[in-house]
Amino acid sequence: MLKVENLYKNFGNIAAVAGISFEVKRGEVFGLLGPNGAGKSTTISIISTLLPPSRGQIFFEGESIFENSRNLRQKLGIVPQDIALYPTLTGYENLRFWGNLYGLKGAELKKRINEVAEIIGLKERLKDKVEKYSGGMKRRLNIGAALLHKPDLLIMDEPTVGIDPQSRSHILETVLKLNAQGMTIIYTTHYMEEAEELCSRICIMDEGKIIASGTKQELVELVKERTRINIKLDNISDNMPQVFKEITGVLDAAILDDTVTLFGENGDILLAEIISKVLEEKSKIQSIDIHKPDLEAVFLHLTGKALRD
Amino acid sequence: MLSIVKLRLLSLRDNYVVFLVMTAMALGFTAVFGIAFNTYRPSVIIVDEDNTPYSAEFMEELKQNKIFKFLDSDKNDAIARVEEGKVLAALIINEGFHDNIERGREINIGQVKIKDDKYLLTLQETVKGIIVKMAGSERISTVTANFVSSQKPGADVEKIKDLAYENVMDSWIFKKPLKVTSTLADTDIQSGYDSMKHSMIGFTVFFSMYTIVFSIGTVLSDKRYKTWDRMLVSPVSMSSILSGTMVVSFLVGMIQMSVLILGGRYLFGLDWGRSLGGIIMVTTVFVFTITSFGLMLSGIVKTEAQLGAVAPVVLTSTSMLGGTMWPLEIVNNKVLLFLAELTPQKWAMQGFLNIAAKGMGFKSAILPSLVLLAMGITFFTIGVKTVKR
């Protein structure tokens, strides 16, 4: 459905996207996973024709989007990372405007607004001005505005940033329902759990490049039976990851806030040595979590960094 | 494009205050200035060095004028009071005034002043009008007396001349208002300066610009709300987005200008001249130009706050340069006059004043309208290129 070939985007001397290629198949939820600044949003901006690439090509249904963007724009729904709504208008007025932009009008538009309001769970609040909505409600309306014209391809750029767990759960359910109805979705996130839950295939991006791609199982294969251990500490020092790397069997370590993430073989056996190192460093353990191989471990394995850095 | 028009109209629901404030400001300022103009009469001293019946009559004619307060005095006192700023100016009726009128020679009235201003322009026009009237009457009465004496030898020529002069002067009073105005208008010849009209037209131009510029500034709200990018990736083209936005700003500008023009007419009795077509043409082109100017400004600045800071400075300074606050006739500096030519306000004022204040016809509005149109197209082209970013 969508093919990205050797895509580059430079801002001055900075390469935001550095030669990425991938393909999105019809009917799948395709994930772009990576930390902030990995180049996900820039990639999305180029796909949605908002930004021109420095180099490379993108084909939608076999046609270059840079030669004919109209077909793509008519069939594309985009949920931007920022809330892109008019706060002084009501939810209904916002949906009506965005529906109008995609050529919907009259009874058809009204019907779609009702259907979309049902999907996003805002039917009772459409008469209120958006400025009165909670953050989660705004996020849901932001998604609704992209669904009115029943797009073939829906791009969701970090749609759950900064919202309450209930709204997040609602959004994730909505994504799965839309996909079950046949909608193709590109979902960008830096939340590993979301990518794991939603995406049939995932591209992991870092510093403008794709560092790994495949299904979740294929990606996890990269780290085999290796374990990820998260240790929450008091009095954490910057050299803590280096200290842990000295333990035989620890392959990587990274620090994020008050947590050190370790990646190693046979986590159960490593635990005793880890605790001993913590005591040597005169730090206190708040909690320890041992995880089975997952995307966080893959990212740590490939980049030496925690995913949410 | 229709969807963008609908959106902009919806947004007006929350931004109508700017429209109302600017309209109220323009009408309020006109009311204040109107009251000031009606009660304030600048003083002018008349010094009679001719001391003849003609000079006395000239003074009487001047004193009938309602714009100025005329006082008699001697030359030294007049000069001193002008220097002290106690009076606007002094008029010196030089010796030989009577003879010059009688013999049809050039008449020289001395003027003592400190600086030029809009009142002095009016004073000069007033003096010129009275002299033309007296010289004309003198000529007609002489011709009449000579004709009668040639037909009736022995008739008292001086008596006939005096009677004829008196009758001609009376007939001026009777016929002056309508006859003079219509003659000047038909020939597109410029007549006098009217400071009240200048003020009303100046405020109309000045305040309407704010409404128009801030109305087109909604593209900056779109950028703030991130809806701009979302619109750009929809099937609607950039030209449709800009056209829809421009149409609503243009309509807002036209409505405000119409309210102010009609307000001037019916609230303050302002006569906008005889060429409605000319007024509509200048208004339309001016609103287009300022809408385009607003688009250009919105493209140059990044945020609404920047527009809020930059627009008043740009609009006020160009309005001052362009003569919305005082007539450009009193500006002598060539640099300022050159800069005035580059402002849309100058051309709008010229178009409106030609028709409303100088009584000229439709043709007098064509050149200002063409210049405004050229400016509008230039601003629009720059605006489209800069606002995309």
Side-chain angles (χ1 to χ4, degrees):
Chain A
M1 184 179 209
L2 185 90
K3 198 171 181 183
V4 175
E5 285 185 356
N6 207 25
L7 197 69
Y8 285 84
K9 181 67 187 177
N10 300 322
F11 294 106
N13 293 327
I14 298 164
V17 177
I20 62 169
S21 300
F22 61 86
E23 191 172 352
V24 180
K25 292 172 187 163
R26 191 175 290 276
E28 72 174 337
V29 179
F30 181 84
L32 279 177
L33 176 68
N36 292 330
K40 305 185 300 290
S41 292
T42 306
T43 304
I44 294 306
S45 294
I46 299 170
I47 293 173
S48 60
T49 69
L50 189 62
L51 281 179
S54 301
R55 196 145 46 101
Q57 198 44 275
I58 299 174
F59 298 95
F60 178 70
E61 295 179 335
E63 201 175 11
S64 167
I65 66 164
F66 306 121
E67 283 161 24
N68 178 17
S69 62
R70 193 158 182 80
N71 180 43
L72 170 72
R73 288 184 179 193
Q74 191 61 51
K75 293 177 177 174
L76 175 70
I78 181 130
V79 181
Q81 185 172 349
D82 298 304
I83 305 288
L85 300 166
Y86 290 98
T88 56
L89 302 187
T90 65
Y92 187 86
E93 286 165 342
N94 267 282
L95 290 179
R96 191 177 59 190
F97 168 66
W98 294 110
N100 271 334
L101 276 195
Y102 285 83
L104 298 173
K105 51 190 171 184
E108 188 194 6
L109 177 59
K110 273 187 184 172
K111 184 177 161 225
R112 278 303 292 156
I113 290 175
N114 281 332
E115 287 171 0
V116 165
E118 195 80 59
I119 293 169
I120 58 178
L122 286 176
K123 207 165 184 180
E124 306 304 316
R125 296 294 305 271
L126 281 190
K127 285 180 184 170
D128 294 336
K129 285 191 176 182
V130 171
E131 62 196 1
K132 291 181 182 166
Y133 284 15
S134 69
M137 288 164 71
K138 284 178 188 169
R139 284 266 165 213
R140 283 188 268 156
L141 190 66
N142 205 30
I143 293 170
L147 300 177
L148 290 156
H149 61 294
K150 295 186 179 168
D152 287 352
L153 175 63
L154 180 68
I155 297 179
M156 306 179 88
D157 190 5
E158 307 251 13
T160 57
V161 169
I163 57 169
D164 58 284
Q166 196 183 353
S167 288
R168 170 179 288 196
S169 161
H170 189 280
I171 288 171
L172 298 185
E173 276 172 30
T174 305
V175 173
L176 289 172
K177 271 186 206 165
L178 291 170
N179 181 242
Q181 289 164 13
M183 196 177 283
T184 309
I185 297 168
I186 298 177
Y187 192 95
T188 84
T189 182
H190 63 266
Y191 295 120
M192 180 264 303
E193 305 85 354
E194 288 183 3
E196 284 187 340
E197 185 180 342
L198 299 174
C199 303
S200 38
R201 287 191 309 126
I202 299 158
C203 261
I204 301 180
M205 287 187 76
D206 187 45
E207 295 180 355
K209 293 176 186 160
I210 292 176
I211 54 172
S213 66
T215 61
K216 184 194 164 189
Q217 286 69 30
E218 286 167 347
L219 290 170
V220 169
E221 270 298 300
L222 295 172
V223 291
K224 299 201 173 81
E225 292 305 312
R226 291 164 187 171
T227 313
R228 177 167 63 90
I229 304 167
N230 285 343
I231 311 156
K232 196 172 178 183
L233 297 168
D234 272 349
N235 304 325
I236 196 162
S237 62
D238 289 343
N239 69 336
M240 218 52 166
Q242 201 50 47
V243 170
F244 288 126
K245 277 183 191 174
E246 289 167 5
I247 302 170
T248 311
V250 171
L251 301 169
D252 253 313
I255 191 167
L256 179 64
D257 300 328
D258 55 356
T259 304
V260 177
T261 300
L262 300 179
F263 174 63
E265 289 170 339
N266 208 339
D268 299 344
I269 295 168
L270 288 174
L271 265 182
E273 287 220 51
I274 288 167
I275 292 166
S276 142
K277 282 283 181 193
V278 171
L279 294 174
E280 274 177 33
E281 290 296 313
K282 294 180 180 168
S283 190
K284 279 186 184 170
I285 296 171
Q286 293 283 319
S287 64
I288 296 183
D289 302 318
I290 302 174
H291 298 266
K292 287 180 183 172
D294 59 13
L295 294 179
E296 187 84 41
V298 175
F299 191 79
L300 184 63
H301 170 58
L302 295 173
T303 66
K305 295 186 288 190
L307 190 53
R308 288 174 205 172
D309 272 356
Chain B
M1 190 180 93
L2 197 60
S3 50
I4 304 292
V5 170
K6 282 188 203 165
L7 170 78
R8 300 300 184 214
L9 289 174
L10 268 178
S11 303
L12 276 182
R13 187 180 58 188
D14 300 300
N15 298 322
Y16 68 95
V17 176
V18 175
F19 180 90
L20 290 181
V21 167
M22 290 304 155
T23 307
M25 292 271 274
L27 292 174
F29 269 70
T30 304
V32 169
F33 273 66
I35 291 163
F37 278 123
N38 285 336
T39 53
Y40 172 61
R41 294 176 69 197
S43 298
V44 177
I45 293 179
I46 316 170
V47 179
D48 187 1
E49 295 197 328
D50 192 49
N51 288 315
T52 60
Y54 275 96
S55 62
E57 188 180 338
F58 176 68
M59 288 167 68
E60 279 308 307
E61 287 281 334
L62 280 175
K63 285 175 183 174
Q64 285 173 26
N65 183 287
K66 292 191 171 78
I67 298 173
F68 302 100
K69 191 172 164 187
F70 289 99
L71 313 162
D72 301 343
S73 188
D74 60 56
K75 197 170 182 177
N76 290 337
D77 177 54
I79 292 170
R81 288 169 75 179
V82 171
E83 282 175 351
E84 287 166 12
K86 289 181 178 170
V87 294
L88 174 71
L91 296 174
I92 318 286
I93 307 171
N94 293 316
E95 208 176 323
F97 176 80
H98 180 123
D99 284 351
N100 290 339
I101 285 192
E102 218 166 44
R103 292 175 191 181
R105 291 194 301 224
E106 192 184 350
I107 298 149
N108 182 18
I109 300 286
Q111 195 180 73
V112 181
K113 62 186 179 182
I114 293 177
K115 58 180 181 180
D116 281 321
D117 77 1
K118 56 190 178 183
Y119 285 111
L120 278 172
L121 288 175
T122 312
L123 179 64
Q124 284 162 7
E125 288 294 321
T126 307
V127 168
K128 206 187 291 176
I130 295 171
I131 287 173
V132 165
K133 192 169 95 173
M134 287 180 70
S137 303
E138 173 63 27
R139 186 76 192 131
I140 291 167
S141 60
T142 304
V143 169
T144 307
N146 288 343
F147 176 76
V148 172
S149 72
S150 70
Q151 297 296 314
K152 270 192 175 181
D156 185 344
V157 177
E158 282 305 312
K159 196 176 174 187
I160 292 169
K161 190 185 162 190
D162 288 347
L163 279 170
Y165 183 85
E166 206 173 301
N167 280 318
V168 174
M169 286 298 279
D170 285 347
S171 70
W172 277 106
I173 295 164
F174 180 67
K175 290 180 176 175
K176 185 174 68 173
L178 283 177
K179 195 131 191 175
V180 172
T181 307
S182 70
T183 304
L184 292 177
D186 285 342
T187 53
D188 271 2
I189 295 168
Q190 296 184 15
S191 69
Y193 168 78
D194 184 329
S195 53
M196 174 65 183
K197 277 185 180 170
H198 185 279
S199 298
M200 179 68 212
I201 294 168
F203 291 136
T204 299
V205 167
F206 179 66
F207 286 108
S208 61
M209 290 179 72
Y210 278 87
T211 313
I212 298 168
V213 167
F214 282 106
S215 165
I216 193 82
T218 49
V219 294
L220 293 169
S221 314
D222 289 338
K223 289 181 179 178
R224 177 161 60 99
Y225 297 143
K226 313 288 182 191
T227 48
W228 181 253
D229 285 350
R230 196 168 196 168
M231 279 195 270
L232 290 184
V233 300
S234 75
V236 176
S237 64
M238 163 70 100
S239 56
S240 293
I241 296 169
L242 288 182
S243 304
T245 307
M246 290 274 292
V247 163
V248 174
S249 297
F250 178 82
L251 284 177
V252 168
M254 286 300 286
I255 291 169
Q256 182 167 42
M257 289 288 284
S258 304
V259 168
L260 292 175
I261 287 170
L262 293 173
R265 172 76 186 86
Y266 294 105
L267 292 178
F268 306 111
L270 186 75
D271 178 10
W272 284 88
R274 66 188 181 90
S275 175
L276 179 63
I279 292 289
I280 291 173
M281 179 170 70
V282 177
T283 304
T284 307
V285 183
F286 173 68
V287 172
F288 164 71
T289 304
I290 298 308
T291 308
S292 302
F293 184 70
L295 184 70
M296 185 179 76
L297 269 185
S298 302
I300 292 169
V301 301
K302 300 279 181 220
T303 63
E304 289 163 292
Q306 284 178 4
L307 182 70
V310 168
V313 175
V314 174
L315 296 183
T316 307
S317 58
T318 51
S319 293
M320 289 163 85
L321 277 174
T324 62
M325 296 172 188
W326 47 74
L328 289 176
E329 283 83 351
I330 64 167
V331 179
N332 294 321
N333 188 302
K334 284 182 180 170
V335 176
L336 292 180
L337 288 172
F338 170 73
L339 290 175
E341 301 286 330
L342 305 178
T343 66
Q345 294 95 320
K346 185 262 174 184
W347 296 99
M349 290 299 291
Q350 186 175 318
F352 286 131
L353 286 170
N354 280 351
I355 295 169
K358 295 176 180 172
M360 296 166 80
F362 182 84
K363 279 190 280 181
S364 68
I366 292 175
L367 177 65
S369 299
L370 285 175
V371 176
L372 281 171
L373 189 63
M375 285 179 169
I377 291 169
T378 308
F379 295 147
F380 180 74
T381 309
I382 298 171
V384 167
K385 291 198 172 179
T386 51
V387 89
K388 276 181 184 174
R389 292 175 302 166

